[in-house]
Amino acid sequence: SLYFALASIVDGVNSAFLLLTAALVFCMQAGFAMLTVGSVRNKNAKNALVLNLCDACVGGVAYYVLGFGFAFAPINQSLLTADNFTTEGPFLPIYKTKSNGFVAFQHFALAQMQSPLTADAFTYLSGLSVPSGTNNGWTYFIWWFQFTFCLTAASIVAGAICERVRVFAYIGFVCLMMGFVYPAISHAMWDDNGWLNVFYNKVTDSSGTIIGSFGIYGSAGSIDFAGSGVVHITGGSAATVAAIIIGPRIGRFDENGKIRPIPGHNISLIVLGGLLLWFGWFGFNPGSQLGTLSYSDGGFNGNGVPTVYSTAGQVALAAVNTLVLPAAAGITTLMISRFVDKCFDCASMVNGFVTGTVVITSPCSTIPTYSALCCGIITGFVWVFGNKLVERLRIDDPLGAIAVHGFGGTWGVLIPGFFAKPDYVAMVYGPSDGSGGIFYGYGKQLAAQLTEILYIWSFVCTIIGGYFLILKFLGLLRISPEEEILGNDTSHHGGPAYPEDDVGLEEDLATLK
Amino acid sequence: SLYFALASIVDGVNSAFLLLTAALVFCMQAGFAMLTVGSVRNKNAKNALVLNLCDACVGGVAYYVLGFGFAFAPINQSLLTADNFTTEGPFLPIYKTKSNGFVAFQHFALAQMQSPLTADAFTYLSGLSVPSGTNNGWTYFIWWFQFTFCLTAASIVAGAICERVRVFAYIGFVCLMMGFVYPAISHAMWDDNGWLNVFYNKVTDSSGTIIGSFGIYGSAGSIDFAGSGVVHITGGSAATVAAIIIGPRIGRFDENGKIRPIPGHNISLIVLGGLLLWFGWFGFNPGSQLGTLSYSDGGFNGNGVPTVYSTAGQVALAAVNTLVLPAAAGITTLMISRFVDKCFDCASMVNGFVTGTVVITSPCSTIPTYSALCCGIITGFVWVFGNKLVERLRIDDPLGAIAVHGFGGTWGVLIPGFFAKPDYVAMVYGPSDGSGGIFYGYGKQLAAQLTEILYIWSFVCTIIGGYFLILKFLGLLRISPEEEILGNDTSHHGGPAYPEDDVGLEEDLATLK
Amino acid sequence: SLYFALASIVDGVNSAFLLLTAALVFCMQAGFAMLTVGSVRNKNAKNALVLNLCDACVGGVAYYVLGFGFAFAPINQSLLTADNFTTEGPFLPIYKTKSNGFVAFQHFALAQMQSPLTADAFTYLSGLSVPSGTNNGWTYFIWWFQFTFCLTAASIVAGAICERVRVFAYIGFVCLMMGFVYPAISHAMWDDNGWLNVFYNKVTDSSGTIIGSFGIYGSAGSIDFAGSGVVHITGGSAATVAAIIIGPRIGRFDENGKIRPIPGHNISLIVLGGLLLWFGWFGFNPGSQLGTLSYSDGGFNGNGVPTVYSTAGQVALAAVNTLVLPAAAGITTLMISRFVDKCFDCASMVNGFVTGTVVITSPCSTIPTYSALCCGIITGFVWVFGNKLVERLRIDDPLGAIAVHGFGGTWGVLIPGFFAKPDYVAMVYGPSDGSGGIFYGYGKQLAAQLTEILYIWSFVCTIIGGYFLILKFLGLLRISPEEEILGNDTSHHGGPAYPEDDVGLEEDLATLK
């Protein structure tokens, strides 16, 4: 039927969109790996790389077995799926939602998910007649898309504790982060039942029919379109607590507490990594719309013409803002380094625009581009002076993950509270009674943003901090000083990363004697 | 008309999908180049890079002039194409299929392809009235998509014979591989007339009308969704026979046959390459569905509403499995290296998850994800002990291409014989009498898989082996020992890859005196 | 309604296509950065990287604030946008076109653009009833897509003047290039009002209704599908004049004018960069169709079925040609280096296929693939001997940007004048009285191509040359000889790029004493 033809097309278009935008997000793994390895010393290059690879490999298993089960239940089911045609059957059980505002408890190991079967196969095998055009791939795409976001959150932390953390301690962290912590945060924010979500408080009419919904404090929920908070505060706060607990690298601060810079060994890889991250972010932010088409139908019927919308407006705005804010942040950072530190600091510039991408992640679809430009300039200062603050506090964060993701993410989540344009909020989150930023005369949105920030920082620091404290107490967190001076690569990874280069390892070894 | 509007939309969506997924596959060239260069010694870095660039440059010409002509004839022509409207004309000749089960013989240099003309231009120029919406781009997209697969197959081999092969010998190999060998294999497997294809045996009713089809042994043909066999056994078996014939690098095994490891010169580039490969694989596997939409119509009419399907189910499953199996393989490999070799071996871990991507390529859309997880763990062992076996046999394979692609590809093609879920097979290959893996009670599928494996190994080894043997006999295969010790870069490529680095080349030269 | 469902789908598909193809173009920034850094000396690596990062960061702001305003006015407004429903309202003013054939003057800082609001939000907030399905994202996507092209044009220049230009001089150049020069060129060529555009001369019937259009000399306008001229001649001619004015690096030519090669420090990064560029080009060229679907309607009505076309034909042809021409150029270059310079020159091969991508950018959708193959072989000679000519003229161009982009771009724009197939021109630019290349019996197209070439070279050289001459006169263009010998990284960027490598900087410093 025409109805199913159009519904199938919407499904097909959005599926292709999700597949590819999530692939760009996955490409950020190459970015993180290059950024991290370039920022460490030669003698710990392999170590940095192995930690990064553990994110995808350990995390892939952890998110499959556990993580997704804590995150979403049930997956939003479109009109297209076969569920609408059958209330029972071998492949398509009715879901009883097992979730509360804080966590779900359902789709472990992809169990109880809708089968990815297409209608033809389903009809053929079940004997039930399902109209052609039905398709269950969507639930699997949500898994794939969300996985890449979870992966990003975990990848942030390696940069803060590399060169000294034990590999097994990091593997355990990835299991915890991607198996539970990020999933719970993403549930609170993005699941329909999440307490920070715009759909949390249902409004019903006298007959009990849901006629609307609103979020905390009557706002549009906390606005975190692509996850400055969910992804980056989560990663950044974990990095903060981890870096504090594990302590600085030997030689980072001398006996008098004086700061000694430890430059990374390869700036070319740092720049490559930064640019691959920015590239991937054009999947991250615009992709968070989950498609360029949407449709609604007043009650399912399978006949007639569904109302099909293009959602390209918010996708386009997200793309443009994801370019402009980081650009402004990058050049601001370069200028600060020129006029404060008297040199054009390349690594700082990379971190500047990466902080910009972190910042624009939350407000990308709800602020106009001139606001993005202004916020980008501020972002340069957030990064530079945030990172100086971390150093001043004698916290050793080789990659600046705390300032980039922790402070940058926090600043990003604050932005909608100030700059969110009410009509853009309506565009993305549906017509409401007018959520928007303080500069448009609204206050409750900022309250919602602050609530999200506090929740994520406290939730993550408690659990991840507890984990690392226990490991430290057990002596399983950090390699020995001898191993650290020798370098992880030689002590734990079978030899140097660049076996043919002479990089003065002998001199380091001499200090051991 | 509505019919053509919908048909055009399906064409447009799938075209965008093919363009971009194939682009991701092309990006794997950067991955292969980095993986290869990082795995060789500094003195042969340029050599490794030039070989990799020859894949795309020489192969692009070879596949255009010859390869595609041996691969597909005629291209599957959708209802949308102008062919359905005219049986003759200056632009659209009727095709007489020139192909048998083993090879085609038609579209050399893109000859006799449907012109890419859109309907407007066609109508305007020919005077024939073709409904708007018709479009002939699809045949060109199939060329582009299939080219990237052919390119991948060829790229595998450089890693096994670099540091010692002559550039011209390699160029000749690329011509043979991409001009004939891979195309013939891809024809046997993926062309409608291919003898390993699910459509090979047509079932007709009493009037001779085709009412169904089945593959070899009554199975769904050999299940090789994205080419663990077609691409990776082809590349891996060529690598095997090439590495055996060319012999090991000087110094790889000492006079007593003792194994001496030759580590690559840059692990950062190895990791970058591995991650770019994994990234590209999210085009490789999901892209092999060739679109997220499909449609059928019982006899062309150009009126009414065609039945449009979403095929996102198999695309989504392919994406999820392409994540989970390699992840499990990667962490398994790391654990093996930790507990067998007592170090966290970064390069082995990269090869572990790359082997995982090779393995999941065949079964990605026909096995459930829990099977993918189990197979991933096994894959870690296949890689590590497969590579040790190659070494034990005194075959020198600098990149482990034999174990990764040859053994990994073989294991990947076997998987559907054991794990293919019958309803998933029906989803992808159409309703049949129930093809599936042994664990679901079916045996003929495994027989089909074994047939494909034997066919590819023997076909490739015979032809590629013959080529390299002839070159060896003529003395054209390998550079001289002096050149090899000096390093290819200095002896054949105009100087060292990193002219400002001191990498002890003088010491190597001293051994010559 | 069905009309809006189909219109929305076309919008959604093309939006996803534009988002992702432009993202691939953005990925070319990583390619340019790696190509540039690999091609300079170790002591200027950071400098090369900072210049490249300034392209995106400075240029992002400049294009937002100024550039786009000079480029397009008004954005082509599809039938889909809300403008068609209301001629006034708070969000959707009627545009008075402010542009002439050479430049626009309108959308500075995205002002007076259509808001990205979707229909629901618009209807809700304005009280005007806009049919669902309307969407204003398209105008923002054009911004995003065009920005990436402008960025590419600017990125070309860093390679010609790095290792000696002042950072602030380069920042000023980026502002000028992306704030005005490229936008004006792109307006002349691609805006509907541009004097080189196919739509420039409107043909009206007796009642004044527009019934057709033609370009300069009655041709299809100058054929420059994706910008061999607009992007690459613009960048390449700017590089030419900049390299001449700034003068060669110290030591590039000795006191007798003898040429002394200065090899880049890292060939692996050069190859990585080249392959990432080629990868991105599959967004650049096919993406320039701006979508895989198109539709027309004889007068807007909002009812019935619009005529939907697939434009995949030209997209597919562009992809295939973007593979074949560069491949032929790459292998030709390798063969020239082998038989002229007696070595397999890797860096030259990279530049060879990159020149090929530049060349195919203009004619990718209007020449058959066998013409692309022939032109690719010629391209190898254009690059090698073009670059030798530059050297012979004692112009120091570290990356060969003049030959690759200036000469390559010029050759690319010439190609349609010779090889454009009339029916393909009709496919892309609409039915005309038969524009095509000289080899098909037409001459006016070549005249149009020559006009574009002359215009861009003279326009760019005048403005950019003037800028650099003024800076040179003021002493702000080039760092001091002492700083240059020491290396930019130490003198301006806070220390060496690879602080742990011993790269003989002491020896360089010794020459200072």
Side-chain angles (χ1 to χ4, degrees):
Chain A
S1 73
L2 179 59
Y3 184 92
F4 280 105
L6 293 172
S8 294
I9 288 169
V10 171
D11 185 71
V13 171
N14 290 348
S15 295
F17 180 83
L18 268 196
L19 171 71
L20 291 163
T21 51
L24 294 200
V25 180
F26 187 81
C27 188
M28 290 169 67
Q29 285 301 302
F32 276 115
M34 293 302 101
L35 191 67
T36 310
V37 73
S39 300
V40 303
R41 284 167 291 180
N42 195 308
K43 65 183 175 184
N44 293 310
K46 276 187 181 173
N47 181 246
L49 295 164
V50 165
L51 298 187
N52 268 277
L53 295 178
C54 283
D55 295 330
C57 291
V58 175
V61 175
Y63 195 73
Y64 166 64
V65 175
L66 290 177
F68 193 73
F70 290 122
F72 296 101
I75 293 296
N76 183 32
Q77 287 156 23
S78 77
L79 294 176
L80 184 61
T81 58
D83 269 7
N84 294 291
F85 301 93
T86 171
T87 53
E88 56 187 359
F91 305 108
L92 301 166
I94 303 169
Y95 300 118
K96 304 276 187 239
T97 295
K98 292 181 186 160
S99 78
N100 55 40
F102 293 88
V103 75
F105 203 82
Q106 189 141 355
H107 296 307
F108 301 107
L110 285 166
Q112 292 185 288
M113 291 276 278
Q114 292 174 299
S115 156
L117 281 186
T118 47
D120 268 10
F122 179 81
T123 301
Y124 179 80
L125 292 154
S126 69
L128 292 170
S129 178
V130 176
S132 289
T134 61
N135 175 277
N136 289 327
W138 189 248
T139 53
Y140 276 63
F141 275 122
I142 295 292
W143 190 97
W144 161 231
F145 193 75
Q146 273 293 319
F147 164 75
T148 62
F149 276 56
C150 181
L151 179 56
T152 304
S155 302
I156 291 163
V157 179
I161 54 178
C162 59
E163 303 206 48
R164 54 209 194 277
V165 71
R166 285 187 181 278
V167 175
F168 276 122
Y170 188 78
I171 288 176
F173 157 76
V174 174
C175 289
L176 180 62
M177 184 75 160
M178 296 185 64
F180 177 69
V181 175
Y182 173 89
I185 301 283
S186 70
H187 177 86
M189 189 66 220
W190 288 332
D191 188 277
D192 279 6
N193 287 322
W195 70 283
L196 289 162
N197 193 290
V198 65
F199 303 110
Y200 188 55
N201 295 295
K202 305 293 186 295
V203 182
T204 55
D205 64 11
S206 56
S207 71
T209 306
I210 295 171
I211 56 168
S213 57
F214 60 90
I216 188 168
Y217 313 132
S219 71
S222 180
I223 292 178
D224 195 3
F225 187 68
S228 289
V230 177
V231 176
H232 296 283
I233 295 183
T234 298
S237 58
T240 306
V241 71
I244 291 172
I245 293 170
I246 200 170
R249 289 168 290 176
I250 295 171
R252 181 70 172 91
F253 306 108
D254 71 13
E255 51 259 38
N256 305 317
K258 192 158 163 265
I259 297 165
R260 291 169 51 190
I262 301 181
H265 82 287
N266 193 320
I267 187 73
S268 297
L269 298 183
I270 291 176
V271 170
L272 175 64
L275 286 171
L276 289 178
L277 287 178
W278 201 352
F279 165 61
W281 238 289
F282 291 104
F284 207 96
N285 287 358
S288 290
Q289 179 61 33
L290 305 183
T292 55
L293 292 172
S294 182
Y295 68 97
S296 65
D297 187 358
F300 173 77
N301 52 43
N303 296 310
V305 179
T307 300
V308 178
Y309 304 87
S310 167
T311 55
Q314 44 264 53
V315 176
L317 185 60
V320 171
N321 284 343
T322 301
L323 186 281
V324 170
L325 193 150
I331 190 61
T332 303
T333 302
L334 188 70
M335 289 302 104
I336 297 173
S337 78
R338 172 66 185 75
F339 291 105
V340 174
D341 299 326
K342 307 297 178 197
C343 77
F344 295 100
D345 187 334
C346 186
S348 183
M349 188 182 189
V350 171
N351 278 308
F353 73 73
V354 172
T355 308
T357 56
V358 168
V359 168
I360 194 58
T361 299
S362 162
C364 56
S365 62
T366 53
I367 64 171
T369 305
Y370 50 80
S371 299
L373 183 69
C374 300
C375 293
I377 294 168
I378 297 169
T379 298
F381 290 87
V382 169
W383 149 247
V384 173
F385 295 100
N387 197 46
K388 282 184 192 295
L389 174 67
V390 171
E391 232 179 14
R392 203 66 61 87
L393 294 171
R394 301 295 180 272
I395 301 170
D396 180 20
D397 177 5
L399 255 80
I402 298 170
V404 171
H405 299 277
F407 299 168
T410 302
W411 162 228
V413 175
L414 283 174
I415 286 176
F418 292 97
F419 294 94
K421 201 154 172 272
D423 48 339
Y424 290 2
V425 176
M427 169 175 76
V428 178
Y429 295 95
S432 70
D433 60 345
S435 284
I438 279 185
F439 295 147
Y440 296 90
Y442 301 90
K444 62 191 175 188
Q445 195 61 54
L446 182 58
Q449 305 301 116
L450 286 166
T451 305
E452 181 190 346
I453 291 168
L454 286 173
Y455 175 63
I456 299 179
W457 273 97
S458 54
F459 184 86
V460 175
C461 286
T462 306
I463 298 181
I464 300 291
Y467 168 76
F468 279 118
L469 277 175
I470 291 170
L471 282 199
K472 189 174 187 178
F473 180 78
L474 297 174
L476 298 172
L477 182 56
R478 188 165 173 156
I479 60 175
S480 74
E482 290 74 24
E483 292 168 333
E484 189 178 338
I485 291 170
L486 184 61
N488 255 297
D489 290 2
T490 299
S491 58
H492 287 86
H493 297 283
Y498 314 102
E500 301 179 52
D501 290 7
D502 173 16
V503 293
L505 200 61
E506 287 78 8
E507 298 165 30
D508 285 344
L509 290 176
T511 68
L512 276 177
K513 287 160 196 165
Chain B
S1 73
L2 179 59
Y3 184 93
F4 281 104
L6 293 172
S8 295
I9 287 170
V10 171
D11 185 72
V13 171
N14 290 348
S15 295
F17 180 83
L18 267 196
L19 171 72
L20 292 163
T21 51
L24 295 200
V25 180
F26 186 82
C27 189
M28 291 168 67
Q29 285 302 302
F32 276 115
M34 293 301 102
L35 191 66
T36 310
V37 72
S39 300
V40 302
R41 284 167 292 182
N42 194 309
K43 65 183 176 184
N44 293 310
K46 277 188 180 173
N47 182 245
L49 295 164
V50 166
L51 297 187
N52 268 276
L53 295 178
C54 283
D55 294 330
C57 291
V58 175
V61 175
Y63 195 72
Y64 167 65
V65 176
L66 291 177
F68 193 73
F70 291 121
F72 296 100
I75 294 296
N76 184 33
Q77 288 156 23
S78 76
L79 294 177
L80 184 61
T81 59
D83 269 6
N84 294 292
F85 300 91
T86 171
T87 53
E88 55 186 359
F91 305 109
L92 301 166
I94 304 170
Y95 299 117
K96 304 277 188 236
T97 296
K98 292 182 185 160
S99 78
N100 55 40
F102 292 90
V103 76
F105 202 83
Q106 188 141 357
H107 295 307
F108 301 107
L110 286 166
Q112 293 186 286
M113 291 275 279
Q114 292 174 299
S115 157
L117 283 185
T118 46
D120 267 11
F122 179 80
T123 300
Y124 179 81
L125 292 156
S126 70
L128 293 170
S129 178
V130 176
S132 288
T134 62
N135 176 277
N136 288 327
W138 189 248
T139 53
Y140 276 64
F141 275 122
I142 295 292
W143 191 97
W144 161 232
F145 193 76
Q146 272 293 319
F147 163 75
T148 62
F149 276 57
C150 180
L151 179 56
T152 304
S155 302
I156 291 163
V157 179
I161 56 178
C162 58
E163 303 206 45
R164 54 208 195 277
V165 71
R166 284 187 181 279
V167 173
F168 276 121
Y170 188 77
I171 288 176
F173 157 77
V174 174
C175 290
L176 181 62
M177 184 75 160
M178 296 184 64
F180 177 69
V181 175
Y182 172 89
I185 301 283
S186 70
H187 177 86
M189 189 66 221
W190 289 331
D191 188 277
D192 279 5
N193 287 322
W195 71 281
L196 288 162
N197 192 290
V198 64
F199 302 110
Y200 188 55
N201 296 293
K202 306 291 186 296
V203 182
T204 54
D205 64 12
S206 56
S207 70
T209 306
I210 295 170
I211 54 169
S213 58
F214 61 90
I216 189 168
Y217 313 132
S219 71
S222 180
I223 292 177
D224 194 3
F225 187 68
S228 289
V230 177
V231 176
H232 295 283
I233 296 183
T234 298
S237 58
T240 306
V241 71
I244 292 172
I245 292 171
I246 200 169
R249 288 167 291 176
I250 295 171
R252 182 70 172 90
F253 305 108
D254 71 12
E255 51 260 36
N256 305 318
K258 191 154 164 269
I259 297 165
R260 292 169 51 190
I262 302 181
H265 82 286
N266 193 320
I267 188 73
S268 297
L269 298 183
I270 292 176
V271 170
L272 174 64
L275 286 171
L276 288 178
L277 287 178
W278 202 352
F279 165 61
W281 238 289
F282 290 104
F284 207 97
N285 288 357
S288 289
Q289 178 61 32
L290 305 182
T292 55
L293 291 171
S294 182
Y295 68 95
S296 65
D297 187 359
F300 173 76
N301 51 44
N303 295 310
V305 179
T307 301
V308 178
Y309 304 86
S310 168
T311 55
Q314 44 265 53
V315 176
L317 185 61
V320 171
N321 284 344
T322 301
L323 187 282
V324 170
L325 192 149
I331 190 62
T332 303
T333 302
L334 188 70
M335 289 301 106
I336 296 173
S337 78
R338 172 65 185 77
F339 291 106
V340 174
D341 299 326
K342 307 295 178 199
C343 75
F344 295 100
D345 187 335
C346 185
S348 184
M349 187 181 190
V350 172
N351 278 307
F353 74 72
V354 172
T355 307
T357 56
V358 168
V359 169
I360 193 58
T361 299
S362 163
C364 57
S365 62
T366 53
I367 64 171
T369 305
Y370 51 79
S371 300
L373 183 69
C374 300
C375 293
I377 294 168
I378 297 170
T379 298
F381 290 87
V382 169
W383 149 248
V384 173
F385 295 101
N387 197 45
K388 283 184 192 295
L389 174 67
V390 171
E391 231 179 15
R392 202 67 59 87
L393 293 171
R394 301 296 180 273
I395 301 170
D396 180 19
D397 177 4
L399 255 80
I402 298 170
V404 171
H405 299 278
F407 299 168
T410 302
W411 163 228
V413 176
L414 283 174
I415 286 175
F418 292 97
F419 295 93
K421 200 153 172 274
D423 48 339
Y424 290 1
V425 176
M427 168 174 77
V428 179
Y429 294 96
S432 70
D433 60 345
S435 282
I438 278 185
F439 294 147
Y440 295 91
Y442 300 90
K444 61 191 176 190
Q445 195 60 54
L446 181 59
Q449 305 301 115
L450 286 166
T451 304
E452 181 192 346
I453 291 168
L454 286 172
Y455 175 63
I456 299 178
W457 274 96
S458 55
F459 184 87
V460 175
C461 286
T462 305
I463 297 181
I464 300 291
Y467 168 76
F468 279 118
L469 277 176
I470 291 170
L471 281 200
K472 188 174 189 177
F473 180 77
L474 296 174
L476 298 173
L477 181 55
R478 187 166 173 154
I479 60 175
S480 73
E482 289 75 24
E483 292 168 331
E484 189 177 337
I485 291 171
L486 184 61
N488 255 297
D489 289 3
T490 299
S491 59
H492 286 86
H493 296 284
Y498 314 102
E500 300 179 52
D501 289 7
D502 173 17
V503 293
L505 200 60
E506 287 78 8
E507 298 164 30
D508 286 344
L509 290 176
T511 67
L512 277 176
K513 287 159 196 167
Chain C
S1 73
L2 179 59
Y3 184 93
F4 281 104
L6 293 172
S8 295
I9 288 170
V10 171
D11 185 71
V13 171
N14 289 349
S15 295
F17 179 83
L18 267 197
L19 171 72
L20 292 163
T21 52
L24 295 201
V25 179
F26 187 82
C27 188
M28 290 169 67
Q29 285 301 302
F32 276 115
M34 293 301 102
L35 192 66
T36 309
V37 73
S39 300
V40 302
R41 284 167 292 182
N42 194 308
K43 65 183 174 183
N44 293 309
K46 276 187 181 174
N47 182 245
L49 295 164
V50 165
L51 297 186
N52 269 277
L53 295 178
C54 282
D55 294 331
C57 291
V58 175
V61 175
Y63 195 72
Y64 166 65
V65 175
L66 290 176
F68 192 74
F70 290 121
F72 296 100
I75 293 296
N76 184 33
Q77 288 156 21
S78 77
L79 294 177
L80 184 62
T81 58
D83 269 6
N84 293 292
F85 299 92
T86 171
T87 53
E88 55 187 359
F91 305 109
L92 301 167
I94 304 169
Y95 298 119
K96 302 278 188 235
T97 296
K98 291 182 186 160
S99 78
N100 55 41
F102 293 88
V103 75
F105 203 82
Q106 189 141 354
H107 296 307
F108 301 107
L110 286 166
Q112 293 186 289
M113 292 274 280
Q114 292 174 298
S115 156
L117 283 185
T118 47
D120 267 10
F122 179 81
T123 301
Y124 179 80
L125 292 154
S126 69
L128 293 169
S129 177
V130 176
S132 289
T134 61
N135 176 276
N136 289 328
W138 188 248
T139 53
Y140 276 64
F141 275 123
I142 294 293
W143 191 98
W144 161 232
F145 193 75
Q146 273 293 319
F147 163 75
T148 62
F149 277 57
C150 181
L151 179 56
T152 304
S155 302
I156 291 164
V157 179
I161 55 178
C162 59
E163 304 206 49
R164 54 209 195 277
V165 71
R166 286 187 181 279
V167 174
F168 276 121
Y170 188 77
I171 288 176
F173 156 76
V174 174
C175 289
L176 180 62
M177 184 75 161
M178 296 184 66
F180 177 69
V181 175
Y182 172 90
I185 301 283
S186 70
H187 177 86
M189 189 65 222
W190 288 331
D191 188 277
D192 278 6
N193 287 321
W195 70 283
L196 289 163
N197 193 290
V198 65
F199 302 110
Y200 189 55
N201 296 294
K202 305 290 186 295
V203 182
T204 53
D205 64 12
S206 55
S207 71
T209 307
I210 294 171
I211 55 169
S213 58
F214 60 91
I216 188 168
Y217 314 132
S219 71
S222 180
I223 293 177
D224 195 3
F225 188 69
S228 289
V230 177
V231 176
H232 296 282
I233 296 183
T234 299
S237 58
T240 306
V241 71
I244 291 173
I245 292 170
I246 200 170
R249 289 168 290 176
I250 295 171
R252 181 69 173 90
F253 305 108
D254 70 12
E255 51 259 36
N256 305 316
K258 195 161 161 257
I259 298 164
R260 291 169 52 189
I262 301 181
H265 83 286
N266 193 320
I267 188 72
S268 297
L269 298 184
I270 292 176
V271 170
L272 175 64
L275 286 171
L276 288 178
L277 287 178
W278 202 352
F279 166 60
W281 238 288
F282 290 105
F284 207 98
N285 287 358
S288 289
Q289 179 61 32
L290 305 183
T292 55
L293 292 171
S294 182
Y295 69 96
S296 65
D297 188 358
F300 174 77
N301 51 44
N303 295 309
V305 179
T307 301
V308 179
Y309 304 87
S310 167
T311 56
Q314 45 264 52
V315 176
L317 185 61
V320 171
N321 284 343
T322 301
L323 187 281
V324 170
L325 192 150
I331 190 61
T332 302
T333 302
L334 189 70
M335 290 300 105
I336 297 173
S337 78
R338 172 65 185 77
F339 291 106
V340 173
D341 299 326
K342 307 296 178 198
C343 77
F344 295 101
D345 187 334
C346 186
S348 183
M349 187 181 190
V350 172
N351 278 308
F353 74 72
V354 172
T355 308
T357 55
V358 168
V359 168
I360 193 58
T361 299
S362 162
C364 57
S365 62
T366 53
I367 64 171
T369 305
Y370 51 79
S371 299
L373 183 69
C374 299
C375 293
I377 295 168
I378 297 170
T379 298
F381 290 87
V382 169
W383 149 248
V384 173
F385 295 101
N387 197 45
K388 283 184 191 295
L389 175 67
V390 171
E391 232 179 14
R392 201 66 61 86
L393 294 171
R394 301 296 180 272
I395 301 170
D396 180 19
D397 177 4
L399 255 81
I402 298 169
V404 171
H405 299 277
F407 300 168
T410 302
W411 163 228
V413 175
L414 283 173
I415 287 176
F418 293 97
F419 295 93
K421 201 154 172 271
D423 48 339
Y424 290 1
V425 176
M427 169 175 76
V428 179
Y429 294 96
S432 70
D433 60 346
S435 283
I438 278 185
F439 295 147
Y440 295 91
Y442 302 89
K444 60 192 176 187
Q445 195 60 56
L446 182 58
Q449 304 302 115
L450 285 166
T451 305
E452 181 191 346
I453 291 168
L454 285 172
Y455 176 63
I456 298 178
W457 274 96
S458 54
F459 184 87
V460 175
C461 287
T462 305
I463 297 181
I464 299 292
Y467 168 76
F468 279 118
L469 277 175
I470 291 170
L471 282 198
K472 188 174 188 179
F473 181 76
L474 296 174
L476 298 173
L477 182 56
R478 188 165 172 156
I479 59 175
S480 73
E482 290 74 23
E483 291 168 333
E484 188 177 337
I485 290 171
L486 184 61
N488 255 297
D489 289 3
T490 300
S491 57
H492 287 85
H493 297 284
Y498 314 102
E500 300 179 52
D501 290 7
D502 173 16
V503 293
L505 199 61
E506 287 78 7
E507 298 164 30
D508 286 343
L509 291 177
T511 68
L512 277 178
K513 287 158 195 168

